[in-house]
Amino acid sequence: MAVALQKTFILILLIVIGLALRSKIKNRTELNGIKEMILSVALPSTVFVALMGVKIDSTLLIYPLITLAFNFFIYLSMPYILLLFKIEADSSTGRTLTMLMPSLAPGLSSFPFIHEFLGKESLAKAAMADVGNKFFALNFLYFVAMNMYLKNNKANEVKEEGKLKSLLLSLVKEPINIVMLLAIGFLSFGISFEDLPPIISEIFNRTSMLMTPMVLIYIGLAVQLKEGKIRLVSSILLFRAGITILFSVLIITIFQISSPVLVLLAVVVPLSSCSFWPFAHMSAIALREETSHLPKEKRTFNIELAVLVLAFSLPFSTILVMGILSAGTFFAHTEVLLLTGLGLIGISFIPKFITKTIVRVSKAHG
């Protein structure tokens, strides 16, 4: 436990360094540059080293399928979740949340901590699990966004073949997917990490060492607390975390997972923050609607809300993942996970209760 706490303290200090550097990096372009370095250099290198260190077999295919099942579980649950929070599904707020909540961004919010606390083999499995999530976020959610756009604008004549082709190409060209395919190809031919030329293996080793500090510093730089629908966003994220843990308990029970490492892996990967990919789909549609001078209140998505969700989701997921992993095997028991999931669901309604109480008090004194 002492080692875990020491690791957690070091990771928190790296986030504090990011917070301290906020005054130095005011340009959004510079911040995006750091994120690009993480996603295009540090993360692919870390995943490559991790994948090359494990023996590949057909059992790895179960991981992307489970993650894909989680994506669809949250997506299909969204109409009921929105109903619980009295949000109209066919509104800009409802459509925005439906796009963001089922997606995952484990590269920024859980991979560094899986690597630090659970090891390279667990990271390799988490990377395989993310394949299913990427397919969902890049392809399925794109079609969902276009369907929402067409329904909202009643413009069935719009053709989006070019956009679809570019998205599919970006999926193929994404660095992490390239190195994953490369690693799987090498392993299929019996080539291990030790068999690579020393100069190649050293480049991957050194760049992979950048990931954890860069991600944590980025979190410190990027986190923003904006005024607006803060209570709504915090409630939705708490509820999402609660049912996510209950979903993990279901998976652990169905597959009879007993290894504490695998149990923790099944818990923390789905707890990752919301992905930037759905935001990219929504932003493209928002730009189209802005160009056509569509009134803000009639637009398909609420981009300001989307930014707020992403801003809250990253540190929120990071805190949850770090808290669970730094507690050792405490959360590796289904009883504890059930209580935690139900507790988070219960807490998610507190902001709504506080708002109602404030309104009643205001009316009473009005």
Side-chain angles (χ1 to χ4, degrees):
M1 179 64 75
V3 176
L5 286 174
Q6 186 179 353
K7 280 186 177 181
T8 304
F9 184 66
I10 292 168
L11 299 179
I12 291 170
L13 280 178
L14 286 168
I15 295 175
V16 172
I17 290 172
L19 289 167
L21 289 172
R22 286 170 71 110
S23 59
K24 300 287 184 182
I25 301 178
K26 297 177 181 178
N27 193 326
R28 192 72 193 175
T29 305
E30 293 175 346
L31 193 60
N32 289 336
I34 295 171
K35 185 180 76 175
E36 193 60 37
M37 283 288 291
I38 294 168
L39 298 178
S40 298
V41 179
L43 177 59
S45 294
T46 307
V47 169
F48 182 80
V49 172
L51 280 175
M52 289 294 285
V54 298
K55 292 181 180 179
I56 188 165
D57 56 67
S58 58
T59 58
L60 286 175
L61 296 175
I62 194 65
Y63 295 106
L65 292 177
I66 291 174
T67 310
L68 197 58
F70 167 77
N71 294 137
F72 278 106
F73 166 71
I74 297 294
Y75 175 75
L76 295 173
S77 301
M78 280 310 297
Y80 306 101
I81 296 172
L82 294 173
L83 190 64
L84 273 175
F85 289 94
K86 295 182 179 179
I87 301 168
E88 189 181 340
D90 194 22
S91 65
S92 61
T93 297
R95 290 189 286 264
T96 300
L97 293 173
T98 300
M99 285 287 293
L100 287 170
M101 290 300 136
S103 65
L104 299 172
L108 289 172
S109 55
S110 64
F111 279 5
F113 313 108
I114 290 170
H115 182 244
E116 288 291 326
F117 288 97
L118 302 182
K120 291 182 179 179
E121 188 174 345
S122 294
L123 179 63
K125 291 173 182 176
M128 284 298 295
D130 191 37
V131 173
N133 169 63
K134 283 183 181 297
F135 174 83
F136 179 86
L138 281 165
N139 297 284
F140 179 75
L141 286 182
Y142 167 72
F143 288 111
V144 171
M146 286 310 305
N147 183 56
M148 289 175 173
Y149 166 68
L150 293 172
K151 186 179 177 183
N152 186 56
N153 291 274
K154 297 181 176 64
N156 295 316
E157 73 278 4
V158 176
K159 295 182 179 180
E160 290 293 326
E161 291 87 351
K163 175 66 175 174
L164 174 59
K165 186 178 179 181
S166 67
L167 280 172
L168 292 175
L169 282 173
S170 69
L171 176 62
V172 175
K173 292 178 180 178
E174 194 174 350
I176 189 170
N177 290 336
I178 293 172
V179 298
M180 284 179 67
L181 291 172
L182 196 62
I184 291 169
F186 282 151
L187 292 171
S188 300
F189 287 101
I191 301 171
S192 67
F193 192 70
E194 288 72 24
D195 297 324
L196 296 175
I199 190 169
I200 300 298
S201 59
E202 189 64 16
I203 287 172
F204 277 106
N205 274 324
R206 287 184 180 273
T207 50
S208 68
M209 290 171 66
L210 296 170
M211 187 179 75
T212 301
M214 282 189 72
V215 168
L216 293 169
I217 290 170
Y218 173 80
I219 290 170
L221 288 166
V223 63
Q224 292 182 16
L225 302 177
K226 294 183 178 180
E227 295 297 329
K229 298 183 178 179
I230 293 176
R231 287 195 186 96
L232 171 64
V233 171
S234 58
S235 292
I236 292 288
L237 288 175
L238 282 163
F239 192 91
R240 174 185 183 256
I243 62 170
T244 293
I245 290 175
L246 296 183
F247 176 86
S248 296
V249 171
L250 180 65
I251 293 299
I252 291 163
T253 305
I254 290 173
F255 290 94
Q256 298 182 340
I257 301 172
S258 57
S259 165
V261 171
L262 284 179
V263 169
L264 292 172
L265 190 65
V267 173
V268 298
V269 171
L271 283 174
S272 301
S273 62
C274 299
S275 173
F276 286 89
W277 277 109
F279 180 73
H281 302 329
M282 291 187 287
S283 296
I285 289 172
L287 182 61
R288 177 186 291 271
E289 291 176 333
E290 188 178 341
T291 305
S292 61
H293 303 292
L294 189 71
K296 203 170 184 179
E297 63 274 7
K298 292 185 179 180
R299 292 180 188 177
T300 309
F301 302 108
N302 186 334
I303 298 300
E304 291 178 2
L305 175 65
V307 170
L308 189 64
V309 170
L310 291 174
F312 267 70
S313 180
L314 185 58
F316 176 76
S317 291
T318 301
I319 290 167
L320 275 179
V321 170
M322 283 178 64
I324 288 170
L325 293 179
S326 64
T329 58
F330 178 77
F331 288 97
H333 307 282
T334 51
E335 300 85 359
V336 175
L337 291 172
L338 276 171
L339 288 173
T340 304
L342 293 171
L344 287 169
I345 290 171
I347 293 169
S348 70
F349 291 102
I350 291 177
K352 187 179 177 182
F353 174 77
I354 291 171
T355 303
K356 280 186 176 180
T357 304
I358 291 170
V359 170
R360 284 174 184 171
V361 171
S362 300
K363 286 182 178 178
H365 291 83

